[in-house]
Amino acid sequence: MTLLPGARLGPYEITSAIGAGGMGEVFRARDTKLNRDVAIKVLPAAFADDPERLARFTREAQTLASLNHPNIAAIYGIEESVPSTSSGTSVTGAEPVEAPVRALVMELVEGEDLSVHIARGPIPIAEALPIARQIAEALEAAHEQGIVHRDLKPANIKVRSDGTVKVLDFGLAKAMGLRQAQPPGDTDAELVEASPTMSRHMTDAGIIIGTAAYMSPEQAKGKAVDKRTDIWAFGVVLHEMLTGNRLFAAEDVSETLAAVLTRDVGIASLPEAMPSRLKALVRDCLVRDSRQRLRDIGDARLVLDKIIAGAPDDAGPSTAAMAKGAQDQAPRPAAWQRAFPWMLAGAALVATGLAVPALRHLRETPPPETRLEIVTPAATESFALSPDGRQIVFVASGDPKRLWLRSLATTTAQPLAGTEGARFPFWSPDGRSIGFFAAGALKRLDLAGGAPQTLAPAPNGVGGTWNADGVILFAPNFTSLLMRVSAAGGASTAATTLGLHQTGHVSPSFLPDGQRVLFTVFGASDTNGIYLGALDGSAPTRLTPGLSQGVYLPGAGDAFRGDGWLLWVQAGTLVAQRLDLDQKALAGEPLRLADRLADGVPSFGALAAAAGLLAYRTDAGTQRQLTWVDRSGTARGTVGDPGGSNLAHPRVSPDGRRVMVERGVQGNRDLWLLDGPRMSRLTFDPARDERGLFSPDGTRIVFRSDRRNESDFYLKPTNGAGVEERFVASDQSKSPTSWSRDGRFLLFMSIDPKTGADLWVAPMVGDHTPWVFLKTPFREAYGEFSPDGRWVAYQSDESGRMEIYLRPFVPPGASGTPSVASSGQLQVSTTGGISAAWRPDGKELYYLNPAGAMMAAPITIVGATLEPGTPVVLFPTRIVGGGEDAQTGRQYDVAPDGRFLINTLLESAPVPITLVMNWNGAVKK
């Protein structure tokens, strides 16, 4: 049935035809519910009208829909509806249709199919290998689920413009129950190209499935097939890619099938310069006796990995040796034959008295250290190496940001569906699943298929780790303790306890025994750092001070004396130091591995280790610029020079002439003042001085510092003269957020281990004793006084995600409570929001939506009544932290003239991830 553009099948609107085959016509359509393009395969009427076959197809399609792999085109569902248009006219170009149409809804894959590439000539080996490897990955994933493709051919393989391969129509031949026999005398060339259309009639006698030129011999004979039939087809496709010629070309179906059964497989036609390993792989896939053929497509992938990695192309055993018994396999030398050259060398060394030292040298000399760069398709945030060191998963920025998966043996990466908004990925011990954080939850994605599963709430997760017992430790946010949950889901329980002056435990990482764990503590300068803890609840031990993620790299043999290494970032330098696990202490001197890494919070997720490999990302490409932006989003100038990842929290002085900003220099974080082109340092203490606010008259600043307790508050004149006055002190982590315009009150956020973030007020005149403004089981954060001082805007996760709310502000003993809803608060944002700020005249409230766009909600105040209006989007931003990271604090400010000063991430080429192989700290650098 041909559907015209504009026709609708349920929510799917046809936009154009794509093609046709024996399994139905295919159309491009728009999913009007989910706002995405899809492919619609309309099933043949003869098939769709057979209830028994339709029921069987539905059962098979449910199995096929479980395949979830970046190299397999996904099946979304089955649609059954009567075609229609909004006008009620014909949708088929003929009479109006009353009978329902049954169709398969699939992922729409852009790009050319492989047959178009091959038609242009042989594909160069360097280009063919990554394509072949991705095909093998797709087949391997399907075979592990017990699904055989049965119709693998170039026309069913799409290659996108970015090099990603997608295999189409997995298992559809079986799902549709096609049992085809070749009609005598049929010589239509198209039937040779694309069975199942090669038969115009079906009989119960034949069970031939697939395209004639790519059928395995057992398929051509009508015998039962298994995964080895796909391996044959893979070999045919690989041969065709490398030569540019059809392996079993013939005039008609009969001759094609005869060629499949009898013709020489044509190994001699492969290019002479081709690696012998690759020739052996093609040969082992094309063994007619399926019992002697390569038995597992995973073995083919391993061979391709070696070739791509540049392993020596020796004359070792063929691929089929792994499958035990391929044809033409060369006999493998006996053990004594392989050792004979070494025996001769040893005898010669003994004769000269050098045998023992030389053999010890051969045994102890480590391979050379090698550093490679992994280029990512977009700027990378966090990443993790798979336990076997063969793959890397990373978060790449984009619209939206998501997880990408790449084999280290290829040059391409594939996005992982269902991971939009992901952060801080980590692997299961078997490498088959990935944990990550998104949409306020800890999630699990099984690479074999299926949608991500939600395991536990995590409003702003900061790292997780997974052991072989199925235990996951994770940090729900920056200001929580570590939580424990089963990898299968269920209730989460506390795994650590916050100590004195500690505000959060983050970035956990299991050691190889799966019982001990590294994690980072946020808190005062005398308590923060990397700690070594254990699941048994024993007291953790502090290993290093400072704020950095820590990873463990196991030692290797005697050269490491059985100890491993702790790696972390110290003042922008990646260092390693021996970790004595028995003593729970570092030993020896730290070694420098690399410079120009981010430190502090930006360093989290930029360091990984597994299987003896180390990966890190430098801060070279991370630049921020304070940028003036008007209401339309147009840039109107900049403030200061671009800075690195430690430029944060800009605040405009009340007169609009100066800007205060946090800045990290050589690991020391202080407040700096920009007055025109001049930048001067305001604070000088070795502790962290940050989160500064101007007083309403601009003569003083208030800031937090961890000089004594965690984030006590200090006052200092903006001219730099006079002493710094400590005026609010407590053991809790605190952060000043707003100074009332009349100068009387300071609003601040304080972290309680039980309730999380709460809002407090400190009087700025007289007694500075703070009092609670808002304390609930939810997280209330980053409060902002309205210009008239009568309202407080803040963000809270009481709805399950951060939203912006308003509450009246009435100091103790005051009267005249403003009118507000009976709940005591008004919700301003409707689809998520953080980082509220008022327009200077109080007539609008600004905030960031989850996409990082600047929002504006009109505020109407009549007497004692306040009413927020419908928020509107002002402009998109490239603001630091986007609109999702509630822990970065407000990274913009509003000047008295209404302009926005935004801490903007500058456009830059993605900074590669550096992969270090064979690093050996025992070797003097």
Side-chain angles (χ1 to χ4, degrees):
M1 172 184 295
T2 299
L3 297 175
L4 298 179
R8 290 178 67 104
L9 294 178
Y12 305 105
E13 182 174 345
I14 304 298
T15 57
S16 63
I18 295 177
M23 287 185 282
E25 293 181 273
V26 185
F27 301 89
R28 185 187 187 110
R30 185 69 175 171
D31 184 338
T32 58
K33 285 186 176 180
L34 298 180
N35 198 28
R36 63 179 176 182
D37 289 333
V38 298
I40 298 285
K41 185 185 290 287
V42 177
L43 305 181
F47 166 80
D49 293 339
D50 186 333
E52 180 182 348
R53 293 179 63 201
L54 188 60
R56 180 170 58 248
F57 170 79
T58 302
R59 291 193 300 270
E60 293 287 345
Q62 290 171 348
T63 301
L64 300 177
S66 69
L67 287 177
N68 182 11
H69 189 274
N71 297 123
I72 297 176
I75 292 178
Y76 295 147
I78 299 174
E79 175 66 22
E80 179 178 350
S81 58
V82 175
S84 64
T85 66
S86 56
S87 63
T89 58
S90 173
V91 297
T92 64
E95 296 298 323
V97 178
E98 298 296 338
V101 170
R102 294 175 176 86
L104 195 64
V105 184
M106 303 177 296
E107 176 185 1
L108 179 67
V109 183
E110 306 286 3
E112 297 178 330
D113 64 55
L114 190 56
S115 65
V116 176
H117 285 245
I118 295 172
R120 292 194 285 263
I123 300 177
I125 291 179
E127 182 182 348
L129 289 174
I131 294 174
R133 192 195 184 284
Q134 293 179 73
I135 298 171
E137 286 263 21
L139 292 173
E140 186 176 13
H143 291 175
E144 287 178 352
Q145 298 295 310
I147 297 172
V148 180
H149 193 292
R150 294 175 173 236
D151 195 23
L152 185 70
K153 56 189 176 185
N156 275 340
I157 301 167
K158 282 285 190 80
V159 182
R160 298 195 319 201
S161 58
D162 63 357
T164 301
V165 170
K166 289 277 189 177
V167 182
L168 316 178
D169 288 355
F170 252 99
L172 285 191
K174 180 184 178 185
M176 297 186 71
L178 296 179
R179 299 185 297 274
Q180 294 152 329
Q182 182 236 334
D186 195 335
T187 60
D188 190 334
E190 290 186 3
L191 304 183
V192 181
E193 292 289 330
S195 89
T197 60
M198 71 176 187
S199 173
R200 293 199 181 98
H201 68 278
M202 300 181 186
T203 71
D204 291 332
I207 53 172
I208 299 175
I209 299 173
T211 301
Y214 303 92
M215 283 184 178
S216 65
E218 56 269 28
Q219 273 182 300
K221 294 177 181 178
K223 294 183 178 181
V225 300
D226 58 20
K227 64 182 183 180
R228 289 170 293 181
T229 200
D230 284 350
I231 293 174
W232 171 277
F234 174 79
V236 177
V237 171
L238 183 55
H239 185 285
E240 193 168 322
M241 290 167 59
L242 297 169
T243 64
N245 297 317
R246 178 68 56 81
L247 182 56
F248 298 115
E251 292 292 329
D252 56 30
V253 173
S254 299
E255 289 187 11
T256 301
L257 294 179
V260 169
L261 294 172
T262 62
R263 185 183 298 173
D264 181 79
V265 295
I267 300 300
S269 62
L270 293 172
E272 278 190 31
M274 184 181 299
S276 60
R277 269 200 181 98
L278 189 54
K279 290 183 180 179
L281 174 60
V282 176
R283 181 190 68 210
D284 295 340
C285 291
L286 296 178
V287 177
R288 286 195 171 89
D289 185 349
S290 63
R291 297 171 299 175
Q292 305 299 319
R293 191 180 306 150
L294 187 69
R295 301 186 68 83
D296 196 312
I297 195 65
D299 293 335
R301 177 180 53 77
L302 291 175
V303 173
L304 293 169
D305 284 345
K306 289 182 179 180
I307 300 172
I308 293 172
D313 192 30
D314 54 29
S318 70
T319 316
M322 293 181 286
K324 300 185 186 296
Q327 295 174 343
D328 303 325
Q329 179 181 322
R332 183 171 180 170
W336 71 269
Q337 291 173 305
R338 297 195 301 273
F340 188 64
W342 291 103
M343 293 167 63
L344 291 177
L349 290 171
V350 170
T352 60
L354 299 175
V356 174
L359 290 174
R360 182 181 299 117
H361 174 74
L362 288 172
R363 184 178 69 250
E364 294 184 353
T365 299
E369 178 181 314
T370 303
R371 300 195 181 201
L372 305 173
E373 289 189 343
I374 302 173
V375 179
T376 57
T380 303
E381 296 181 10
S382 49
F383 53 83
L385 291 167
S386 63
D388 61 5
R390 291 170 50 189
Q391 299 182 90
I392 187 169
V393 61
F394 56 89
V395 177
S397 60
D399 188 16
K401 69 177 182 181
R402 65 182 71 205
L403 292 182
W404 291 68
L405 182 65
R406 173 179 163 178
S407 165
L408 297 182
T410 68
T411 58
T412 58
Q414 295 82 40
L416 296 180
T419 64
E420 292 76 12
R423 50 190 285 146
F424 295 113
F426 57 97
W427 288 84
S428 63
D430 60 9
R432 296 181 179 179
S433 303
I434 295 171
F436 64 97
F437 301 90
L442 167 66
K443 299 193 174 187
R444 165 183 175 166
L445 176 67
D446 295 331
L447 296 179
Q453 308 168 47
T454 296
L455 300 181
N460 199 18
V462 198
T465 186
W466 191 333
N467 73 7
D469 296 327
V471 173
I472 292 178
L473 293 184
F474 68 100
N477 54 64
F478 279 93
T479 56
S480 70
L481 40 76
L482 295 182
M483 302 297 290
R484 172 176 178 162
V485 70
S486 167
S492 53
T493 58
T496 58
T497 302
L498 292 178
L500 184 64
H501 300 164
Q502 295 181 4
T503 60
H505 296 170
V506 302
S507 193
S509 176
F510 274 122
L511 269 61
D513 61 10
Q515 299 301 309
R516 288 172 290 189
V517 62
L518 295 170
F519 62 95
T520 303
V521 170
F522 275 72
S525 57
D526 62 349
T527 190
N528 63 22
I530 300 170
Y531 283 66
L532 176 63
L535 288 181
D536 61 11
S538 57
T541 302
R542 189 185 191 209
L543 300 176
T544 74
L547 293 179
S548 169
Q549 173 191 11
V551 302
Y552 179 74
L553 187 65
D558 295 339
F560 290 85
R561 303 176 187 173
D563 293 337
W565 298 85
L566 176 69
L567 296 97
W568 78 101
V569 179
Q570 185 179 64
T573 297
L574 176 60
V575 297
Q577 194 168 357
R578 290 187 188 278
L579 176 56
D580 187 327
L581 294 175
D582 292 333
Q583 299 298 318
K584 299 181 181 179
L586 297 176
E589 295 297 321
L591 304 177
R592 191 178 80 177
L593 278 72
D595 294 319
R596 299 186 69 189
L597 275 77
D599 54 11
V601 173
S603 71
F604 288 85
L607 182 62
L613 301 177
L614 167 66
Y616 65 87
R617 190 194 68 244
T618 68
D619 196 30
T622 305
Q623 291 289 298
R624 305 177 179 186
Q625 175 69 67
L626 300 182
T627 305
W628 288 113
V629 176
D630 66 18
R631 189 179 179 84
S632 69
T634 303
R636 297 297 185 184
T638 59
V639 176
D641 297 325
S645 61
N646 284 310
L647 193 68
H649 303 108
R651 291 295 179 266
V652 181
S653 64
D655 60 7
R657 296 173 50 193
R658 295 169 295 171
V659 171
M660 180 168 49
V661 67
E662 292 173 23
R663 185 167 175 243
V665 178
Q666 296 180 339
N668 193 31
R669 195 169 187 83
D670 287 290
L671 295 171
W672 294 67
L673 195 64
L674 294 111
D675 190 351
R678 180 173 176 266
M679 174 180 279
S680 59
R681 189 171 170 181
L682 268 178
T683 61
F684 296 85
D685 197 274
R688 297 196 323 268
D689 297 334
E690 53 193 2
R691 304 295 173 101
L693 297 175
F694 282 105
S695 63
D697 61 5
T699 62
R700 293 184 296 168
I701 62 168
V702 62
F703 61 95
R704 75 178 190 186
S705 177
D706 62 356
R707 304 172 189 186
R708 298 186 183 181
N709 291 329
E710 167 61 12
S711 59
D712 288 346
F713 295 166
Y714 291 78
L715 290 168
K716 183 172 185 174
T718 54
N719 62 10
V723 297
E724 296 173 350
E725 175 191 353
R726 180 170 175 244
F727 78 102
V728 173
S730 68
D731 291 340
Q732 277 78 33
S733 174
K734 304 173 293 298
S735 194
T737 61
S738 184
W739 199 330
S740 63
R741 188 170 288 186
D742 60 10
R744 297 173 56 202
F745 300 104
L746 179 74
L747 189 64
F748 67 93
M749 175 178 66
S750 181
I751 308 300
D752 186 300
K754 295 181 179 179
T755 61
D758 304 308
L759 296 180
W760 289 66
V761 175
M764 299 302 293
V765 293
D767 184 2
H768 295 317
T769 302
W771 46 273
V772 174
F773 173 71
L774 184 59
K775 185 182 182 71
T776 75
F778 308 107
R779 293 192 305 142
E780 299 87 23
Y782 299 107
E784 294 285 327
F785 283 118
S786 62
D788 63 7
R790 303 175 64 198
W791 302 89
V792 170
Y794 63 97
Q795 62 197 48
S796 172
D797 64 355
E798 68 174 83
S799 68
R801 66 181 175 190
M802 283 293 179
E803 298 280 6
I804 301 297
Y805 298 89
L806 287 170
R807 276 182 180 267
F809 177 74
V810 180
S815 60
T817 303
S819 174
V820 74
S822 59
S823 65
Q825 67 182 22
L826 289 172
Q827 183 171 336
V828 178
S829 62
T830 56
T831 59
I834 63 171
S835 301
W838 292 85
R839 198 168 89 178
D841 61 7
K843 294 183 179 180
E844 277 187 316
L845 186 65
Y846 305 120
Y847 65 91
L848 298 174
N849 71 9
M854 187 67 68
M855 305 291 293
I859 301 295
T860 301
I861 300 178
V862 179
T865 302
L866 178 148
E867 182 177 348
T870 302
V872 296
V873 177
L874 293 185
F875 54 86
T877 72
R878 288 185 52 81
I879 196 167
V880 169
E884 300 173 319
D885 193 348
Q887 300 298 331
T888 63
R890 181 152 61 84
Q891 297 289 343
Y892 74 95
D893 203 11
V894 184
D897 61 5
R899 291 178 301 161
F900 298 89
L901 182 63
I902 297 180
N903 191 12
T904 304
L905 284 171
L906 297 181
E907 292 279 3
S908 61
V911 178
I913 298 169
T914 300
L915 183 69
V916 183
M917 299 182 291
N918 305 321
W919 180 80
N920 188 340
V923 176
K924 187 175 181 180
K925 303 297 178 183

